[in-house]
Amino acid sequence: MRNDNRNYNYNDYPSEKRMEYELVADLIPTGARVLDLACGNGALMEQLIETRQAICEGMELSPSGVEVCRKKGLEVIAGRVDEKLPYADNQFDVAVCNVTIQMLMYPEMLLSEMKRVAPRQIISFPNFAYFKNRLELLLKGRMPKQLLFGYQWYNTGHIHQLSIRDFEELVGAVGGLEIATRSFVPMGMKPIDMLGGVFPGWFRKVVIMETRRTNG
C-alpha cells in the first residue's frame, strides 16, 4: 500500500518550488513581518525572504519539517496551527496558510487565530468543486481523486475538503473579516483558464484568498 500523506516526511523533499508561491509572494509587502502556518519544509518562507525581504517565522507540526527548516536557519517552532497560537495580537503584518486548511481538524480556529495575530491573512486551498471532481463523483459514484494527489479517501490527510463557496461561508462564520483579493493558480490550458475567469467555482483548481480584518 502506498504511504499515506497524514504524516509528511520533509526529509524526502527539503526544498521545492510550487506554482502558488509566486502568487502568494505578490500579496506580501516588502519587508513585512510574516507568519507561515504549517510551513512544511520552509520553501515558501525562503522565497518570501529572497523576493520580498520579509521577516518570517513559521510553525509546523511535522518534526521533520521543523528539523529541515531549522537546518536552513529559519525561525520555526513545532505545534498545531488550529488551536490557540503562541503569538501576541498583531505580532505580524500577514499570516499565511498555504494549502493546509483542508487538512486541519479545526479550520475555523485557524482562521480566527490568523485574524488575531495579523490584520491580513492569505489562505490557499484546493477547490474540491473543481469540474473533474464533480464529474468523477457523478459518473463513478466515488470519492474524487483529482485533489487527493493519488491517495485514497482513507489514507489522505485531506479531511475537510472545501469549495470556494465553503470558504466564503467560513469567513462569514468566523466574522470580522472580508475577502480582499482572490487569485488562482493557472492550469496552463487556455480553454480551462478562460472558463475559470467566468466560472471559478467550476474551473479553478487551486485558490488563493486574501482576507483582511474589518475591525482594525
Side-chain angles (χ1 to χ4, degrees), residues 168-216:
E168 292 169 346
E169 289 182 359
L170 176 62
V171 170
V174 170
L177 290 169
E178 63 181 0
I179 297 175
T181 63
R182 304 164 189 254
S183 306
F184 307 96
V185 175
M187 295 299 296
M189 296 178 284
K190 190 172 181 180
I192 299 299
D193 287 332
M194 289 180 63
L195 285 169
V198 183
F199 306 106
W202 279 77
F203 297 101
R204 296 300 194 184
K205 189 173 182 179
V206 178
V207 183
I208 301 163
M209 294 284 197
E210 179 195 6
T211 59
R212 297 186 183 183
R213 202 166 53 209
T214 59
N215 53 357

Side-chain angles (χ1 to χ4, degrees), residues 119-177:
R120 297 176 60 196
Q121 308 80 32
I122 299 172
I123 304 96
S124 64
F125 57 91
N127 171 29
F128 195 63
Y130 184 60
F131 81 99
K132 288 187 177 181
N133 281 351
R134 299 187 191 223
L135 289 175
E136 187 170 353
L137 182 60
L138 176 65
L139 299 177
K140 295 185 178 181
R142 59 180 297 169
M143 182 70 170
K145 293 186 178 181
Q146 265 294 311
L147 296 182
L148 297 182
F149 306 101
Y151 295 96
Q152 303 293 332
W153 67 267
Y154 53 83
N155 66 3
T156 179
H158 293 230
I159 59 175
H160 281 139
Q161 300 284 8
L162 71 156
S163 67
I164 295 174
R165 285 187 178 180
D166 290 324
F167 182 80
E168 292 169 346
E169 289 182 359
L170 176 62
V171 170
V174 170
L177 290 169

Side-chain angles (χ1 to χ4, degrees), residues 26-127:
D26 287 343
L27 298 172
I28 304 293
T30 301
R33 299 167 298 164
V34 178
L35 174 62
D36 187 359
L37 294 165
C39 60
N41 58 18
L44 176 57
M45 285 197 292
E46 288 183 294
Q47 183 158 335
L48 296 181
I49 292 168
E50 179 182 353
T51 65
R52 309 306 296 167
Q53 294 75 56
I55 302 166
C56 294
E57 295 185 34
M59 191 170 185
E60 171 59 40
L61 181 62
S62 166
S64 63
V66 175
E67 179 184 5
V68 167
C69 287
R70 288 177 176 172
K71 284 181 178 179
K72 295 177 179 180
L74 298 171
E75 188 172 347
V76 173
I77 63 172
R80 291 173 57 102
V81 301
D82 57 347
E83 58 187 30
K84 181 75 171 179
L85 298 176
Y87 302 105
D89 294 358
N90 299 309
Q91 184 171 338
F92 302 93
D93 300 309
V94 186
V96 178
C97 185
N98 186 51
V99 290
T100 303
I101 191 170
Q102 77 281 358
M103 304 183 76
L104 302 177
M105 186 64 69
Y106 302 101
E108 72 278 20
M109 186 64 174
L110 166 77
L111 192 55
S112 179
E113 281 294 282
M114 292 177 75
K115 178 182 72 170
R116 180 182 66 80
V117 301
R120 297 176 60 196
Q121 308 80 32
I122 299 172
I123 304 96
S124 64
F125 57 91
N127 171 29

